[in-house]
Amino acid sequence: PHCADPGKKLFSSDEWNRMSWDPTEKDIPQQAVLRPVVKGPISAQSRGEVFVVIMVGLPGRGKSRVAKRTANYLSFFHGLECKVFNVGDRRREKLGYMNEKCYDFDDKAAMAARNEFNISCMKEMKEWLVEGPTNRVGVYDTSNITRKRRAWIMEELKSLEDNSRKLSVIFVELISDRGTINCTEMAKSDLNEKPSDTEEDFKKRLEHYERHYESIASAGDNDPELQLSFLKVMEHSNQIVMNKMFGYMAGRIAQFITNCAGGELALNYNTRLTRNDRSKKIYLSRHGQSVYNEHGRIGGDSDLTALGERYALALKDFAGSRIVIDRTGTICPCRLWTSSLKRTINTARHIDHPTVTLTNNDTWVQMKPKIWSNLDEIYAGACDGMTYAEIKEQYSMEAEARKKDKLGYRYPRGESYLDVIQRLEPLIQEMERHREPLLIVGHQGILRMILAYYKGIPRDQAPHQAISLHHVIEITPHAYGCDEKIYNLLPENSAGDDGQKHH
């Protein structure tokens, strides 16, 4: 340890181990800040810019899914305090189901009644954004399909900008002429347990919107809406239009939404997948029991035990019978990712990789393994290969520091969970882009972060999740949450305590 300025204090070895290039200081290109790991939202500590994301589009185009996932992304990967203000949710809470006649734009009484929810949601969002300096991103989630509505929004938001906090308003319009994401699902979300309400009623409601729909800046070169910052995502990201999107964070928002709203579908296998996000499933599995697991040691690059090998064979059968077969019984293209470590690669090595012919006569190599070092387990540095008992005995202060702040604690010459979050961010972009089922064979520390992101678990709670060996977690993200199922592939063979359950 050293210090360039002899007039300043020298750092102890413990202090030096916790000093790092801060990966969240991305607003200043090519400039890194050397400082200790800090608690809490890093990106929000010194900058006061406030972002308001305004969703625009017809019902059923995926606005709520994109809004919620974007808020999760900014909160989890950038440490920003985010909140979604969904007008439809507020209306459902107060009134329940409203039939299509309530959405007639020519019915002034019905429009006034619905507009009350727009006004109250806007008021709530403005109050939340000024409550404290850490509330940074509000997402206003409703249709906003007319120029008049968007002009009202901009007028309402003027009061938020002052000399101390910059306000950035970004409109995000999702456009699709192919139809809604899923009419049946959208109708069911409004049923409020009334079986008489039907998908047909939802389609009639949609017709009211279509008659009055005005796309952003659609009146030519002199359109005043060209002064707005906006992102148009057309036909599930097949075409993107960005206008006046400046700055690092606006760029991150645009990139994420571009991936989340559309995504690459394997060789156009089945267009149904692009319209129904419930078809996208992600399977998370730890590697089979390793030699280090058997002895309660952390890290390393040990191979599988005999029990771990049995799990690898069970995972092969599970993939062949469950993952690569969709709900209609059709073989569908699937992806397989592992870390670069031996125990994950060997766990996945038995999975079959046949070449299948798709409906458009193109071919796809099924479950072709892709190795990502980003998926490697959190690096324990000087503690790599030790048991937690040995760490407590030899590095008692380290063990206590980790216990107090599991998210921000960095192992001596190793990583923290905040470091892991930073290296997972590019992979999350990839995961959002793809629409095929994906199996990730990884490590507990890594899967904790991925699972927390999709389930909306705050990142300070994410490291405390327990993910058992020899289980597969199936998650299905969708507009209204994230469904989860857990499969025990070796019910007759317990892996025992790997020493990590409570760590």
Side-chain angles (χ1 to χ4, degrees), residues 203-305:
K203 290 180 178 179
K204 289 180 180 178
R205 184 205 311 180
L206 185 59
E207 290 173 2
H208 290 304
Y209 280 93
E210 289 174 333
R211 283 195 293 269
H212 294 83
Y213 183 23
E214 298 172 297
S215 183
I216 296 176
S218 55
D221 294 341
N222 296 321
D223 194 317
E225 287 195 324
L226 288 172
Q227 299 306 310
L228 300 176
S229 295
F230 63 78
L231 172 69
K232 284 189 178 187
V233 182
M234 290 168 275
E235 300 302 345
H236 310 288
S237 295
N238 283 325
Q239 186 177 1
I240 306 294
V241 175
M242 292 176 61
N243 187 73
K244 292 186 178 294
M245 298 280 285
F246 303 120
Y248 168 74
M249 195 54 67
R252 302 310 296 163
I253 292 171
Q255 182 183 21
F256 178 80
I257 291 177
T258 298
N259 287 317
C260 180
E264 173 190 2
L265 186 69
L267 304 173
N268 298 314
Y269 147 72
N270 190 336
T271 55
R272 170 180 57 83
L273 292 179
T274 65
R275 297 196 299 270
N276 183 4
D277 201 47
R278 283 189 183 273
S279 299
K280 175 181 177 178
K281 296 183 183 295
I282 300 170
Y283 298 85
L284 306 177
S285 171
R286 291 178 66 183
H287 51 78
Q289 185 192 57
S290 70
V291 174
Y292 269 25
N293 289 144
E294 188 176 33
H295 297 284
R297 300 190 177 279
I298 64 173
D301 193 16
S302 60
D303 208 339
L304 302 179
T305 63

Side-chain angles (χ1 to χ4, degrees), residues 257-398:
I257 291 177
T258 298
N259 287 317
C260 180
E264 173 190 2
L265 186 69
L267 304 173
N268 298 314
Y269 147 72
N270 190 336
T271 55
R272 170 180 57 83
L273 292 179
T274 65
R275 297 196 299 270
N276 183 4
D277 201 47
R278 283 189 183 273
S279 299
K280 175 181 177 178
K281 296 183 183 295
I282 300 170
Y283 298 85
L284 306 177
S285 171
R286 291 178 66 183
H287 51 78
Q289 185 192 57
S290 70
V291 174
Y292 269 25
N293 289 144
E294 188 176 33
H295 297 284
R297 300 190 177 279
I298 64 173
D301 193 16
S302 60
D303 208 339
L304 302 179
T305 63
L307 183 58
E309 181 65 18
R310 284 203 292 275
Y311 176 72
L313 293 170
L315 184 62
K316 168 188 178 291
D317 294 338
F318 179 83
S321 62
R322 177 82 191 187
I323 300 178
V324 303
I325 306 293
D326 70 13
R327 59 190 178 187
T328 68
T330 304
I331 294 178
C332 60
C334 299
R335 298 177 184 270
L336 170 63
W337 293 358
T338 74
S339 77
S340 68
L341 299 177
K342 187 186 305 181
R343 54 192 182 275
T344 63
I345 294 172
N346 286 345
T347 298
R349 77 183 189 280
H350 298 297
I351 295 175
D352 295 326
H353 313 296
T355 298
V356 296
T357 301
L358 306 179
T359 54
N360 61 355
N361 293 322
D362 283 321
T363 58
W364 171 270
V365 178
Q366 192 69 286
M367 287 283 195
K368 183 178 181 180
K370 188 166 186 177
I371 297 173
W372 296 90
S373 60
N374 307 59
L375 290 172
D376 288 356
E377 182 61 295
I378 183 171
Y379 180 49
C383 300
D384 194 65
M386 300 174 69
T387 67
Y388 284 106
E390 290 171 343
I391 294 173
K392 186 175 182 180
E393 179 182 352
Q394 298 180 37
Y395 298 96
S396 58
M397 292 180 64
E398 297 293 331

Side-chain angles (χ1 to χ4, degrees), residues 421-468:
I421 287 172
Q422 290 299 313
R423 62 174 160 94
L424 281 179
E425 192 268 348
L427 287 196
I428 290 297
Q429 297 272 4
E430 282 292 297
M431 291 173 69
E432 293 289 355
R433 184 170 68 89
H434 297 312
R435 288 292 174 266
E436 301 80 23
L438 167 65
L439 170 61
I440 298 178
V441 182
H443 309 268
Q444 178 167 243
I446 303 303
L447 300 185
R448 280 169 168 167
M449 299 298 105
I450 295 174
L451 187 61
Y453 159 68
Y454 277 104
K455 292 177 67 177
I457 296 173
R459 63 183 191 173
D460 61 335
Q461 299 176 23
H464 300 280
Q465 300 177 93
I467 298 179
S468 301

Side-chain angles (χ1 to χ4, degrees), residues 70 125 146 150 163 168 201 206 311 332 393 412 419 421 455 467 486:
T70 301
M125 181 176 69
T146 65
R150 295 191 289 269
N163 292 329
S168 292
D201 190 79
L206 185 59
Y311 176 72
C332 60
E393 179 182 352
D419 298 324
I421 287 172
K455 292 177 67 177
I467 298 179
I486 300 177

